Amino acid sequence: MEKEAKTYLRIKNFVAPFIGLAVDITAYGTENIVTNGKVILTCNHRSDMDPFILSYTFPRFISWIAAEYTFRIPIFRDLAKIAGGIPMSIDGNISIGSIKMIQQVFKKGETLGIFPEGHDYMVKNDFKSGMVDFHSGFAAFSIRNKVDILPSVIIPVEESYSDIPIPPIVRSFMGMPKEVCEIKKRAIYKKVKVIYGEKVDHREFLSGTLEENMKQLSNVVRNRMIALQEGQYAEA
């Protein structure tokens, strides 16, 4: 992961000034950021700008989990691979190769970034609604690898909406799922707040069955993130 981390940071340093000019970003709760050691970073997912916004405010290298089909998108595919992106099927299945990549992230004491909503919020395409239900894969990664979770949220203060630049027929040709091909609008941030909460200790979810622990941990993280959205920083 050392090579990927260096590439990620080079890309980040190049892109950051452009992101800073395009979007007014304010980060809160940065004292909660885990500055070293393995951690899973979770965030809500309402725009394709989210990983860039979060990476802008997060000082460490992030190995992002991304939907497998996004690795078929030109340019993004190459950038994701060289910067340590890890593909995951939208049905929750993950290849042996990707599992090994995740284990390497934790072995190196790095950060795994994941959006527990998957693409479901963007498929819903209602940017005024709250978070949708979480996929619990991130909770399994936490419990099985004994890794704490750092919840965060992106709150739009000012944004606009535009048509998806890639036409549905082209998205279909690229092998994207039907529901993704039918997404009509995307959120474009103008001003946002990024809020980091206190980490969730994985040790509270080690006794009992894995299935029940995954469900409980997923609910705890989701409730924490909702609280961050509705808390003192959530006001425009």
PDB file of all heavy atoms in Angstrom, residues 179-206:
ATOM      1  N   GLU A 179     -30.511   0.289 -12.334  1.00  0.00           N
ATOM      2  CA  GLU A 179     -30.939   1.396 -11.480  1.00  0.00           C
ATOM      3  C   GLU A 179     -29.984   2.583 -11.554  1.00  0.00           C
ATOM      4  O   GLU A 179     -30.379   3.734 -11.398  1.00  0.00           O
ATOM      5  CB  GLU A 179     -31.097   0.933 -10.026  1.00  0.00           C
ATOM      6  CG  GLU A 179     -29.813   0.505  -9.349  1.00  0.00           C
ATOM      7  CD  GLU A 179     -29.547  -0.989  -9.471  1.00  0.00           C
ATOM      8  OE1 GLU A 179     -30.074  -1.594 -10.425  1.00  0.00           O
ATOM      9  OE2 GLU A 179     -28.817  -1.530  -8.624  1.00  0.00           O
ATOM     10  N   VAL A 180     -28.715   2.300 -11.818  1.00  0.00           N
ATOM     11  CA  VAL A 180     -27.725   3.377 -11.954  1.00  0.00           C
ATOM     12  C   VAL A 180     -27.891   4.057 -13.314  1.00  0.00           C
ATOM     13  O   VAL A 180     -27.747   5.281 -13.428  1.00  0.00           O
ATOM     14  CB  VAL A 180     -26.294   2.825 -11.791  1.00  0.00           C
ATOM     15  CG1 VAL A 180     -25.255   3.912 -12.068  1.00  0.00           C
ATOM     16  CG2 VAL A 180     -26.106   2.271 -10.386  1.00  0.00           C
ATOM     17  N   CYS A 181     -28.211   3.282 -14.331  1.00  0.00           N
ATOM     18  CA  CYS A 181     -28.449   3.846 -15.665  1.00  0.00           C
ATOM     19  C   CYS A 181     -29.624   4.819 -15.647  1.00  0.00           C
ATOM     20  O   CYS A 181     -29.683   5.748 -16.463  1.00  0.00           O
ATOM     21  CB  CYS A 181     -28.694   2.738 -16.678  1.00  0.00           C
ATOM     22  SG  CYS A 181     -27.282   1.656 -16.968  1.00  0.00           S
ATOM     23  N   GLU A 182     -30.556   4.619 -14.737  1.00  0.00           N
ATOM     24  CA  GLU A 182     -31.781   5.424 -14.715  1.00  0.00           C
ATOM     25  C   GLU A 182     -31.687   6.648 -13.798  1.00  0.00           C
ATOM     26  O   GLU A 182     -32.642   7.424 -13.711  1.00  0.00           O
ATOM     27  CB  GLU A 182     -32.953   4.544 -14.289  1.00  0.00           C
ATOM     28  CG  GLU A 182     -33.268   3.438 -15.303  1.00  0.00           C
ATOM     29  CD  GLU A 182     -34.355   2.496 -14.832  1.00  0.00           C
ATOM     30  OE1 GLU A 182     -34.741   2.578 -13.639  1.00  0.00           O
ATOM     31  OE2 GLU A 182     -34.826   1.671 -15.639  1.00  0.00           O
ATOM     32  N   ILE A 183     -30.552   6.842 -13.116  1.00  0.00           N
ATOM     33  CA  ILE A 183     -30.388   8.041 -12.276  1.00  0.00           C
ATOM     34  C   ILE A 183     -30.416   9.275 -13.176  1.00  0.00           C
ATOM     35  O   ILE A 183     -29.701   9.359 -14.173  1.00  0.00           O
ATOM     36  CB  ILE A 183     -29.054   7.989 -11.495  1.00  0.00           C
ATOM     37  CG1 ILE A 183     -29.057   6.824 -10.511  1.00  0.00           C
ATOM     38  CG2 ILE A 183     -28.834   9.308 -10.752  1.00  0.00           C
ATOM     39  CD1 ILE A 183     -27.740   6.641  -9.779  1.00  0.00           C
ATOM     40  N   LYS A 184     -31.229  10.250 -12.807  1.00  0.00           N
ATOM     41  CA  LYS A 184     -31.420  11.420 -13.668  1.00  0.00           C
ATOM     42  C   LYS A 184     -30.548  12.618 -13.267  1.00  0.00           C
ATOM     43  O   LYS A 184     -30.002  13.317 -14.120  1.00  0.00           O
ATOM     44  CB  LYS A 184     -32.891  11.830 -13.667  1.00  0.00           C
ATOM     45  CG  LYS A 184     -33.825  10.754 -14.219  1.00  0.00           C
ATOM     46  CD  LYS A 184     -35.251  11.245 -14.290  1.00  0.00           C
ATOM     47  CE  LYS A 184     -36.191  10.152 -14.784  1.00  0.00           C
ATOM     48  NZ  LYS A 184     -35.800   9.656 -16.120  1.00  0.00           N
ATOM     49  N   LYS A 185     -30.432  12.862 -11.965  1.00  0.00           N
ATOM     50  CA  LYS A 185     -29.759  14.074 -11.511  1.00  0.00           C
ATOM     51  C   LYS A 185     -28.586  13.765 -10.584  1.00  0.00           C
ATOM     52  O   LYS A 185     -28.545  12.710  -9.945  1.00  0.00           O
ATOM     53  CB  LYS A 185     -30.751  14.980 -10.774  1.00  0.00           C
ATOM     54  CG  LYS A 185     -31.922  15.482 -11.613  1.00  0.00           C
ATOM     55  CD  LYS A 185     -31.473  16.519 -12.625  1.00  0.00           C
ATOM     56  CE  LYS A 185     -32.660  17.076 -13.394  1.00  0.00           C
ATOM     57  NZ  LYS A 185     -32.247  18.122 -14.365  1.00  0.00           N
ATOM     58  N   ARG A 186     -27.650  14.680 -10.506  1.00  0.00           N
ATOM     59  CA  ARG A 186     -26.539  14.584  -9.557  1.00  0.00           C
ATOM     60  C   ARG A 186     -26.452  15.887  -8.773  1.00  0.00           C
ATOM     61  O   ARG A 186     -26.774  16.964  -9.279  1.00  0.00           O
ATOM     62  CB  ARG A 186     -25.217  14.298 -10.269  1.00  0.00           C
ATOM     63  CG  ARG A 186     -24.763  15.397 -11.201  1.00  0.00           C
ATOM     64  CD  ARG A 186     -23.540  14.989 -12.007  1.00  0.00           C
ATOM     65  NE  ARG A 186     -22.356  14.930 -11.171  1.00  0.00           N
ATOM     66  CZ  ARG A 186     -21.435  15.896 -11.110  1.00  0.00           C
ATOM     67  NH1 ARG A 186     -21.583  16.995 -11.841  1.00  0.00           N
ATOM     68  NH2 ARG A 186     -20.379  15.771 -10.338  1.00  0.00           N
ATOM     69  N   ALA A 187     -26.024  15.775  -7.524  1.00  0.00           N
ATOM     70  CA  ALA A 187     -25.851  16.956  -6.676  1.00  0.00           C
ATOM     71  C   ALA A 187     -24.461  17.524  -6.891  1.00  0.00           C
ATOM     72  O   ALA A 187     -23.466  16.788  -6.890  1.00  0.00           O
ATOM     73  CB  ALA A 187     -26.041  16.590  -5.209  1.00  0.00           C
ATOM     74  N   ILE A 188     -24.397  18.833  -7.083  1.00  0.00           N
ATOM     75  CA  ILE A 188     -23.121  19.529  -7.247  1.00  0.00           C
ATOM     76  C   ILE A 188     -22.976  20.499  -6.086  1.00  0.00           C
ATOM     77  O   ILE A 188     -23.736  21.463  -5.957  1.00  0.00           O
ATOM     78  CB  ILE A 188     -23.070  20.293  -8.577  1.00  0.00           C
ATOM     79  CG1 ILE A 188     -23.285  19.318  -9.744  1.00  0.00           C
ATOM     80  CG2 ILE A 188     -21.735  21.019  -8.726  1.00  0.00           C
ATOM     81  CD1 ILE A 188     -23.369  19.987 -11.092  1.00  0.00           C
ATOM     82  N   TYR A 189     -22.012  20.236  -5.235  1.00  0.00           N
ATOM     83  CA  TYR A 189     -21.831  21.054  -4.047  1.00  0.00           C
ATOM     84  C   TYR A 189     -21.222  22.421  -4.373  1.00  0.00           C
ATOM     85  O   TYR A 189     -20.313  22.533  -5.194  1.00  0.00           O
ATOM     86  CB  TYR A 189     -20.914  20.342  -3.051  1.00  0.00           C
ATOM     87  CG  TYR A 189     -21.426  19.016  -2.543  1.00  0.00           C
ATOM     88  CD1 TYR A 189     -20.580  17.908  -2.445  1.00  0.00           C
ATOM     89  CD2 TYR A 189     -22.741  18.854  -2.146  1.00  0.00           C
ATOM     90  CE1 TYR A 189     -21.030  16.692  -1.962  1.00  0.00           C
ATOM     91  CE2 TYR A 189     -23.209  17.642  -1.662  1.00  0.00           C
ATOM     92  CZ  TYR A 189     -22.339  16.565  -1.576  1.00  0.00           C
ATOM     93  OH  TYR A 189     -22.797  15.364  -1.108  1.00  0.00           O
ATOM     94  N   LYS A 190     -21.712  23.420  -3.663  1.00  0.00           N
ATOM     95  CA  LYS A 190     -21.127  24.760  -3.707  1.00  0.00           C
ATOM     96  C   LYS A 190     -20.524  25.126  -2.343  1.00  0.00           C
ATOM     97  O   LYS A 190     -19.490  25.770  -2.256  1.00  0.00           O
ATOM     98  CB  LYS A 190     -22.189  25.800  -4.088  1.00  0.00           C
ATOM     99  CG  LYS A 190     -22.876  25.535  -5.413  1.00  0.00           C
ATOM    100  CD  LYS A 190     -21.915  25.602  -6.576  1.00  0.00           C
ATOM    101  CE  LYS A 190     -22.655  25.403  -7.896  1.00  0.00           C
ATOM    102  NZ  LYS A 190     -21.726  25.404  -9.055  1.00  0.00           N
ATOM    103  N   LYS A 191     -21.234  24.689  -1.296  1.00  0.00           N
ATOM    104  CA  LYS A 191     -20.762  24.936   0.070  1.00  0.00           C
ATOM    105  C   LYS A 191     -21.222  23.775   0.940  1.00  0.00           C
ATOM    106  O   LYS A 191     -22.400  23.405   0.908  1.00  0.00           O
ATOM    107  CB  LYS A 191     -21.336  26.253   0.606  1.00  0.00           C
ATOM    108  CG  LYS A 191     -20.859  26.630   1.992  1.00  0.00           C
ATOM    109  CD  LYS A 191     -21.415  27.991   2.408  1.00  0.00           C
ATOM    110  CE  LYS A 191     -20.912  28.400   3.780  1.00  0.00           C
ATOM    111  NZ  LYS A 191     -21.429  29.729   4.199  1.00  0.00           N
ATOM    112  N   VAL A 192     -20.300  23.181   1.693  1.00  0.00           N
ATOM    113  CA  VAL A 192     -20.647  22.017   2.517  1.00  0.00           C
ATOM    114  C   VAL A 192     -19.960  22.082   3.873  1.00  0.00           C
ATOM    115  O   VAL A 192     -18.960  22.785   4.061  1.00  0.00           O
ATOM    116  CB  VAL A 192     -20.254  20.678   1.832  1.00  0.00           C
ATOM    117  CG1 VAL A 192     -20.967  20.502   0.515  1.00  0.00           C
ATOM    118  CG2 VAL A 192     -18.742  20.583   1.662  1.00  0.00           C
ATOM    119  N   LYS A 193     -20.520  21.317   4.797  1.00  0.00           N
ATOM    120  CA  LYS A 193     -19.888  21.069   6.086  1.00  0.00           C
ATOM    121  C   LYS A 193     -19.544  19.586   6.155  1.00  0.00           C
ATOM    122  O   LYS A 193     -20.362  18.736   5.808  1.00  0.00           O
ATOM    123  CB  LYS A 193     -20.827  21.430   7.232  1.00  0.00           C
ATOM    124  CG  LYS A 193     -21.170  22.909   7.306  1.00  0.00           C
ATOM    125  CD  LYS A 193     -22.159  23.178   8.429  1.00  0.00           C
ATOM    126  CE  LYS A 193     -22.499  24.661   8.506  1.00  0.00           C
ATOM    127  NZ  LYS A 193     -23.450  24.950   9.595  1.00  0.00           N
ATOM    128  N   VAL A 194     -18.334  19.286   6.578  1.00  0.00           N
ATOM    129  CA  VAL A 194     -17.917  17.908   6.832  1.00  0.00           C
ATOM    130  C   VAL A 194     -17.750  17.762   8.331  1.00  0.00           C
ATOM    131  O   VAL A 194     -17.030  18.541   8.961  1.00  0.00           O
ATOM    132  CB  VAL A 194     -16.597  17.564   6.128  1.00  0.00           C
ATOM    133  CG1 VAL A 194     -16.189  16.124   6.422  1.00  0.00           C
ATOM    134  CG2 VAL A 194     -16.718  17.780   4.628  1.00  0.00           C
ATOM    135  N   ILE A 195     -18.444  16.793   8.912  1.00  0.00           N
ATOM    136  CA  ILE A 195     -18.434  16.638  10.363  1.00  0.00           C
ATOM    137  C   ILE A 195     -17.934  15.249  10.732  1.00  0.00           C
ATOM    138  O   ILE A 195     -18.444  14.244  10.234  1.00  0.00           O
ATOM    139  CB  ILE A 195     -19.831  16.843  10.966  1.00  0.00           C
ATOM    140  CG1 ILE A 195     -20.411  18.183  10.487  1.00  0.00           C
ATOM    141  CG2 ILE A 195     -19.770  16.807  12.489  1.00  0.00           C
ATOM    142  CD1 ILE A 195     -21.845  18.401  10.898  1.00  0.00           C
ATOM    143  N   TYR A 196     -16.941  15.209  11.599  1.00  0.00           N
ATOM    144  CA  TYR A 196     -16.398  13.948  12.102  1.00  0.00           C
ATOM    145  C   TYR A 196     -16.875  13.727  13.533  1.00  0.00           C
ATOM    146  O   TYR A 196     -16.789  14.627  14.376  1.00  0.00           O
ATOM    147  CB  TYR A 196     -14.862  13.977  12.082  1.00  0.00           C
ATOM    148  CG  TYR A 196     -14.286  14.045  10.691  1.00  0.00           C
ATOM    149  CD1 TYR A 196     -13.913  15.264  10.127  1.00  0.00           C
ATOM    150  CD2 TYR A 196     -14.120  12.894   9.935  1.00  0.00           C
ATOM    151  CE1 TYR A 196     -13.395  15.327   8.851  1.00  0.00           C
ATOM    152  CE2 TYR A 196     -13.599  12.938   8.654  1.00  0.00           C
ATOM    153  CZ  TYR A 196     -13.233  14.163   8.117  1.00  0.00           C
ATOM    154  OH  TYR A 196     -12.716  14.215   6.843  1.00  0.00           O
ATOM    155  N   GLY A 197     -17.392  12.532  13.788  1.00  0.00           N
ATOM    156  CA  GLY A 197     -17.851  12.191  15.127  1.00  0.00           C
ATOM    157  C   GLY A 197     -16.815  11.381  15.887  1.00  0.00           C
ATOM    158  O   GLY A 197     -15.729  11.087  15.369  1.00  0.00           O
ATOM    159  N   GLU A 198     -17.164  11.017  17.101  1.00  0.00           N
ATOM    160  CA  GLU A 198     -16.274  10.174  17.897  1.00  0.00           C
ATOM    161  C   GLU A 198     -16.282   8.752  17.348  1.00  0.00           C
ATOM    162  O   GLU A 198     -17.295   8.268  16.848  1.00  0.00           O
ATOM    163  CB  GLU A 198     -16.724  10.169  19.366  1.00  0.00           C
ATOM    164  CG  GLU A 198     -16.621  11.526  20.037  1.00  0.00           C
ATOM    165  CD  GLU A 198     -17.056  11.470  21.490  1.00  0.00           C
ATOM    166  OE1 GLU A 198     -17.501  10.379  21.941  1.00  0.00           O
ATOM    167  OE2 GLU A 198     -16.977  12.506  22.166  1.00  0.00           O
ATOM    168  N   LYS A 199     -15.153   8.090  17.441  1.00  0.00           N
ATOM    169  CA  LYS A 199     -15.058   6.741  16.881  1.00  0.00           C
ATOM    170  C   LYS A 199     -15.931   5.763  17.669  1.00  0.00           C
ATOM    171  O   LYS A 199     -16.203   5.944  18.861  1.00  0.00           O
ATOM    172  CB  LYS A 199     -13.608   6.258  16.870  1.00  0.00           C
ATOM    173  CG  LYS A 199     -13.018   5.948  18.236  1.00  0.00           C
ATOM    174  CD  LYS A 199     -11.600   5.397  18.093  1.00  0.00           C
ATOM    175  CE  LYS A 199     -11.027   5.026  19.469  1.00  0.00           C
ATOM    176  NZ  LYS A 199      -9.653   4.490  19.370  1.00  0.00           N
ATOM    177  N   VAL A 200     -16.359   4.726  16.972  1.00  0.00           N
ATOM    178  CA  VAL A 200     -17.157   3.659  17.574  1.00  0.00           C
ATOM    179  C   VAL A 200     -16.229   2.484  17.852  1.00  0.00           C
ATOM    180  O   VAL A 200     -15.588   1.954  16.938  1.00  0.00           O
ATOM    181  CB  VAL A 200     -18.296   3.219  16.634  1.00  0.00           C
ATOM    182  CG1 VAL A 200     -19.088   2.080  17.262  1.00  0.00           C
ATOM    183  CG2 VAL A 200     -19.205   4.406  16.308  1.00  0.00           C
ATOM    184  N   ASP A 201     -16.152   2.080  19.105  1.00  0.00           N
ATOM    185  CA  ASP A 201     -15.246   1.007  19.533  1.00  0.00           C
ATOM    186  C   ASP A 201     -15.800  -0.348  19.107  1.00  0.00           C
ATOM    187  O   ASP A 201     -16.915  -0.727  19.492  1.00  0.00           O
ATOM    188  CB  ASP A 201     -15.081   1.068  21.052  1.00  0.00           C
ATOM    189  CG  ASP A 201     -13.909   0.234  21.557  1.00  0.00           C
ATOM    190  OD1 ASP A 201     -13.616  -0.814  20.940  1.00  0.00           O
ATOM    191  OD2 ASP A 201     -13.293   0.609  22.568  1.00  0.00           O
ATOM    192  N   HIS A 202     -15.026  -1.083  18.337  1.00  0.00           N
ATOM    193  CA  HIS A 202     -15.478  -2.389  17.837  1.00  0.00           C
ATOM    194  C   HIS A 202     -15.609  -3.430  18.942  1.00  0.00           C
ATOM    195  O   HIS A 202     -16.338  -4.415  18.804  1.00  0.00           O
ATOM    196  CB  HIS A 202     -14.486  -2.913  16.789  1.00  0.00           C
ATOM    197  CG  HIS A 202     -13.195  -3.390  17.393  1.00  0.00           C
ATOM    198  ND1 HIS A 202     -12.154  -2.541  17.728  1.00  0.00           N
ATOM    199  CD2 HIS A 202     -12.783  -4.639  17.747  1.00  0.00           C
ATOM    200  CE1 HIS A 202     -11.162  -3.237  18.251  1.00  0.00           C
ATOM    201  NE2 HIS A 202     -11.510  -4.504  18.269  1.00  0.00           N
ATOM    202  N   ARG A 203     -14.899  -3.234  20.052  1.00  0.00           N
ATOM    203  CA  ARG A 203     -14.846  -4.263  21.102  1.00  0.00           C
ATOM    204  C   ARG A 203     -16.195  -4.505  21.756  1.00  0.00           C
ATOM    205  O   ARG A 203     -16.414  -5.558  22.346  1.00  0.00           O
ATOM    206  CB  ARG A 203     -13.812  -3.857  22.160  1.00  0.00           C
ATOM    207  CG  ARG A 203     -12.373  -3.888  21.648  1.00  0.00           C
ATOM    208  CD  ARG A 203     -11.399  -3.349  22.666  1.00  0.00           C
ATOM    209  NE  ARG A 203     -11.646  -1.938  22.938  1.00  0.00           N
ATOM    210  CZ  ARG A 203     -10.900  -1.200  23.768  1.00  0.00           C
ATOM    211  NH1 ARG A 203      -9.884  -1.754  24.421  1.00  0.00           N
ATOM    212  NH2 ARG A 203     -11.184   0.080  23.959  1.00  0.00           N
ATOM    213  N   GLU A 204     -17.102  -3.559  21.629  1.00  0.00           N
ATOM    214  CA  GLU A 204     -18.431  -3.730  22.207  1.00  0.00           C
ATOM    215  C   GLU A 204     -19.294  -4.704  21.388  1.00  0.00           C
ATOM    216  O   GLU A 204     -20.397  -5.053  21.806  1.00  0.00           O
ATOM    217  CB  GLU A 204     -19.135  -2.376  22.278  1.00  0.00           C
ATOM    218  CG  GLU A 204     -18.415  -1.352  23.154  1.00  0.00           C
ATOM    219  CD  GLU A 204     -19.112  -0.006  23.151  1.00  0.00           C
ATOM    220  OE1 GLU A 204     -20.313   0.030  22.768  1.00  0.00           O
ATOM    221  OE2 GLU A 204     -18.484   1.001  23.517  1.00  0.00           O
ATOM    222  N   PHE A 205     -18.777  -5.154  20.242  1.00  0.00           N
ATOM    223  CA  PHE A 205     -19.584  -5.974  19.336  1.00  0.00           C
ATOM    224  C   PHE A 205     -18.891  -7.297  18.984  1.00  0.00           C
ATOM    225  O   PHE A 205     -19.079  -7.836  17.898  1.00  0.00           O
ATOM    226  CB  PHE A 205     -19.879  -5.192  18.056  1.00  0.00           C
ATOM    227  CG  PHE A 205     -20.543  -3.865  18.315  1.00  0.00           C
ATOM    228  CD1 PHE A 205     -19.785  -2.717  18.511  1.00  0.00           C
ATOM    229  CD2 PHE A 205     -21.917  -3.767  18.418  1.00  0.00           C
ATOM    230  CE1 PHE A 205     -20.379  -1.501  18.770  1.00  0.00           C
ATOM    231  CE2 PHE A 205     -22.534  -2.552  18.670  1.00  0.00           C
ATOM    232  CZ  PHE A 205     -21.762  -1.410  18.856  1.00  0.00           C
ATOM    233  N   LEU A 206     -18.117  -7.816  19.922  1.00  0.00           N
ATOM    234  CA  LEU A 206     -17.368  -9.043  19.663  1.00  0.00           C
ATOM    235  C   LEU A 206     -18.017 -10.287  20.257  1.00  0.00           C
ATOM    236  O   LEU A 206     -17.675 -11.411  19.879  1.00  0.00           O
ATOM    237  CB  LEU A 206     -15.924  -8.912  20.185  1.00  0.00           C
ATOM    238  CG  LEU A 206     -15.051  -7.866  19.483  1.00  0.00           C
ATOM    239  CD1 LEU A 206     -13.642  -7.859  20.101  1.00  0.00           C
ATOM    240  CD2 LEU A 206     -14.975  -8.119  17.985  1.00  0.00           C
TER     241      LEU A 206
END
